[in-house]
Amino acid sequence: MTDGQQPTDPNSPTGAYAGFQGRVKQTLDDSTPWWAPRPEPGPDAPNVVVILCDDLGFSDLGCYGSEVETPNIDRLAAEGVQYTNFHVTPMCSPTRAALLTGLNSHLAGVGHVAHSDCGYPGYAIELAQDAVTVAETLGGAGYATMALGKWHLSKDSDLSAAGPQDSWPVQRGFDRFYGFLDAFTNLHHPHRLVRDNSTVEVDRYPDGYYFTDDITDRAVAMVKEQQASNPHQPFFMYFAHGAVHAPMQAKAEDIAKHRGSYDAGWDVIRAQRWERQKELGLLPDGSEIAPPNSEPGDEVVPWDELTDQQRELYARFMEIYAAMVQSIDESLGRLRDELEALGVWENTVVVFTSDNGAAREGESAGTSQFFSPLVFDPDAEQKDYDRLDLLGGPQTLPHYQRGWAYACNTPFRLYKGNTHAGGHQVPLLIAGPGVPADGANRRQYLHVTDLMPTILDLTGVDAPTQRGGLAAKPLAGTSLANTFEDPDAPSAHGEQHYEMSGNRGFYRDGWEAVTRHQPFTPFEDDHWELYNLDEDPTQRTDLSGAEPERVADLQAGWDAAAWENQVYPLDEGGFVKFFQRPERSAAYFGPVRIAAGTPTLERWRCLQLIQTRSFAISIDLQYKSGDEGVLVAHGGQGGGYGLYVEDGRLFWVHNAYGTMHLVDAGVLADGARQITADVAAPGGGIWNVTLSVDGQEVASREDLPHFWFMAPFEGIDVGIDRRSPVSWDIYERHGPFRYTGTLHAVTYEPGDAAPDAPPQLAETVMAARRLYD
């Protein structure tokens, strides 16, 4: 039998073996049988590395005007092409979907971040079954495929061991994956790492661990292993940094390098970056920097109006951020060194970009604990200052002030989440075989949907027409190849729509209409601004009053594109999509018994047991004098709670976003069989906790803050407190503090929701929504 010939009897061992060429990849086209030979890429097929940063602003790199030294990134820019008019979506998950599929994000099924499941196709929050990823495409052509870092393209309700795992990286075309599936993680103590399809079991990270270093090590190891196995096989690597997304954390020595660099404040930094951008010729001659953001809720306080304490505190946040940018540059340098040593760098296309503009979630004052702004605390800023020397380390989860996001988005307006340029105009560098090494700037209007066609063009791989028997959606973008040899080539991307949480924008041939939507207001009341981007790339002069017909034409263009791309229904700001869940989610609201020895239960699944509701915890054990350790722990340094025994006494520890509360329940009686914690949620954002041993109340505490949104951000541990600890004091004394006695199981019984819990308000919100539909 000749190679590739169909076996006469594929069920016979001999016949099946003779026709089997290595069933490493499932084919994308059902017309190709599984036993067909695996495609072999051409001998000169280039490797491809896509490096995606998280929340990196337009001006954060040296080659885009930053004071942060990024020599490895700048070298990449000099050896390839640098784009200065490149656009993504205003949010992370949608950009990732568009990058990996070449489709507009809503049409790919990911119109918002992956923390909802509201039932609408544009907000399915996982890649559509007829959306083919670049990994599936290149893998089907014989490439090895690997992904590292942040995924954030799976429903949060599907991240546990129960799955389904259809939208996890390995099911979407990647041979290997190492990273996290969620929106972000603690860079010193990641809450949950995944290797391929399995959770990485970690009780305690080594001192000095840093996630950016870890994924760089793993990337190098994956390539070394793959190249040793088959040096003739090209690879595709998707390297998605967790940085510079909050929590803003970096290594102490890196933070120290930037001490004092930001004492002048964000107004001066923005002005300095703009001067460098003009020297670098990033924008057309005659361009002017956008004025300070002044929109209500988005405004930036002048630096010289801050107090001395505020200036000292706020500067520290930016020092940490700069250290994170530096770590990204060092990661690229290390990866390059290793690929050069392997002899594969010269045949590797490298794409470097960001998933959206700089983020404003820290709002006007910033925070040392990412989730704490959800609870009003008049002493929050003083508490942040008291933690000044802890900022950036494993005990805090900081986010900088939006004044720094304003500086990072120089010279544009607004921030991540907005459809103005500050939300989606970001760096893009491309270098490698097939790309001229002229280091010249390109100013063509481009969109993230253009990257997949460009990668396929450079690798010589055709886009598949099917996926799993379904007709594949056609790619939305076009290859950038025409801009490689001709820096002045016209843009092939003539139109583009934007939408994020009701904010909208539409670009056509140099003109853009854009609106900033106010929550809970009718969409017809939104003012559409108009800009001639060829003459006014920073959106300074609103021409809507002078050209109402053009505005109407662009609005109509947006509406047509929205219908074609599953953008409707619009989110008016009531967050209904977060309340509305499918019936299958009800399974997560019932009682659960967690046996001792169970790996950490996934965080979203755990939140359904406790969030904004009453609940009871029952701990079954056989206590004898001298036993000690953690009985149950839920959360980490960003917020959480737990029960433990130390020196014969029982304690409830409660970490309210960095503010610690301890309930001493006294000496635990020898022979105790059951410990219970009844947690009542009377409303007002508090919990009242009552502790009992074998049916007898031993302690109680009222008015403990409960947790909101995504906190606690680490799941439930039984008999140990893994990774980021709820209590740093206990961690310093005992580490994860594994329980030494006999512990059978911990049972959670969810109770009634608090009277003012968001789910209780869902119908009210949905009724309000109908007013604006």
Side-chain angles (χ1 to χ4, degrees), residues 13 22 35-36 93 162 168 248 259 274 284 305 315 370 409 457 487 585 613 698 702 737 739 748 754:
W35 41 260
S93 296
W168 290 27
M248 291 176 180
R259 193 62 48 82
W274 173 236
E305 293 182 10
F370 188 66
N409 285 332
D457 201 352
S585 294
R613 66 190 319 123
V698 293
E702 295 185 347
F737 206 16
Y739 187 66
Y748 273 76

Side-chain angles (χ1 to χ4, degrees), residues 100-331:
L100 289 174
T101 66
L103 304 176
N104 286 307
S105 59
H106 295 78
L107 195 61
V110 188
H112 201 261
V113 288
H115 302 287
S116 61
D117 191 4
C118 57
Y120 299 109
Y123 306 89
I125 311 303
E126 63 182 12
L127 299 178
Q129 291 301 307
D130 54 356
V132 186
T133 71
V134 63
E136 290 168 328
T137 305
L138 294 181
Y143 273 68
T145 57
M146 52 197 79
L148 300 112
K150 172 178 171 177
W151 180 242
H152 208 202
L153 286 172
S154 304
K155 300 178 194 291
D156 50 12
S157 54
D158 291 353
L159 299 187
S160 73
Q165 298 180 344
D166 302 36
S167 60
W168 290 27
V170 173
Q171 281 65 251
R172 294 309 310 234
F174 289 100
D175 299 323
R176 302 293 313 279
F177 172 70
Y178 181 85
F180 59 92
L181 301 175
D182 243 311
F184 53 85
T185 196
N186 182 321
L187 298 185
H188 296 292
H189 293 161
H191 70 292
R192 184 170 181 261
L193 294 177
V194 172
R195 180 186 294 113
D196 303 331
N197 278 334
S198 301
T199 304
V200 178
E201 298 301 330
V202 179
D203 288 351
R204 178 175 185 167
Y205 290 100
D207 293 343
Y209 174 93
Y210 191 61
F211 180 70
T212 303
D213 294 341
D214 187 8
I215 55 175
T216 305
D217 292 341
R218 303 285 177 160
V220 169
M222 285 183 186
V223 174
K224 284 183 174 179
E225 182 180 24
Q226 179 266 332
Q227 285 291 296
S229 300
N230 183 356
H232 304 292
Q233 181 188 30
F235 62 86
F236 168 65
M237 176 186 291
Y238 173 60
F239 193 111
H241 280 281
V244 287
H245 195 291
M248 291 176 180
Q249 297 171 315
K251 292 175 285 188
E253 59 271 24
D254 289 346
I255 299 172
K257 294 175 184 177
H258 299 276
R259 193 62 48 82
S261 299
Y262 297 97
D263 291 352
W266 44 65
D267 299 307
V268 169
I269 293 297
R270 183 170 165 96
Q272 291 175 344
R273 290 188 177 190
W274 173 236
E275 289 304 313
R276 282 190 288 271
Q277 289 174 338
K278 289 192 292 185
E279 293 171 5
L280 292 168
L282 299 186
L283 271 69
D285 292 341
S287 299
E288 297 182 60
I289 190 172
N293 299 325
S294 58
E295 294 82 352
D298 291 328
E299 65 274 15
V300 175
V301 177
W303 185 259
D304 60 11
E305 293 182 10
L306 301 175
T307 67
D308 290 345
Q309 179 173 298
Q310 286 174 324
R311 287 195 288 266
E312 181 184 4
L313 173 63
Y314 294 3
R316 182 64 55 85
F317 283 86
M318 191 59 188
E319 293 167 8
I320 300 164
Y321 183 88
M324 296 177 76
V325 175
Q326 174 191 322
S327 75
I328 291 171
D329 182 77
E330 291 174 349
S331 169

Side-chain angles (χ1 to χ4, degrees), residues 6 12 29 48 90 381 422 537 677 764:
Q6 180 177 356
S12 73
D29 187 334
V48 179
E381 191 162 275
T764 302

Side-chain angles (χ1 to χ4, degrees), residues 314-359:
Y314 294 3
R316 182 64 55 85
F317 283 86
M318 191 59 188
E319 293 167 8
I320 300 164
Y321 183 88
M324 296 177 76
V325 175
Q326 174 191 322
S327 75
I328 291 171
D329 182 77
E330 291 174 349
S331 169
L332 173 59
R334 288 183 54 213
L335 182 62
R336 176 175 185 150
D337 288 346
E338 295 288 353
L339 296 186
E340 286 180 341
L342 289 171
V344 298
W345 174 262
E346 295 301 323
N347 194 38
T348 299
V349 173
V350 180
V351 179
F352 185 101
T353 188
S354 176
D355 63 1
N356 46 243

Side-chain angles (χ1 to χ4, degrees), residues 186 188-190 203-209 249 369 387 390 392-397 630 635-641 644 646 653-656 658-662 714 721-737:
N186 182 321
H188 296 292
H189 293 161
D203 288 351
R204 178 175 185 167
Y205 290 100
D207 293 343
Y209 174 93
Q249 297 171 315
Q369 291 290 353
R387 300 174 184 134
L390 298 178
Q395 292 178 250
T396 60
L397 279 71
V630 170
Q637 285 292 283
Y641 63 89
Y644 68 94
E646 186 180 33
V653 61
H654 197 90
N655 182 340
T659 300
M660 301 302 298
H661 304 273
L662 191 64
E714 192 171 304
D721 187 1
R722 299 182 176 98
R723 296 176 292 277
S724 179
V726 173
S727 169
W728 195 262
D729 288 342
I730 296 172
Y731 180 76
E732 287 188 319
R733 293 197 298 271
H734 303 288
F737 206 16

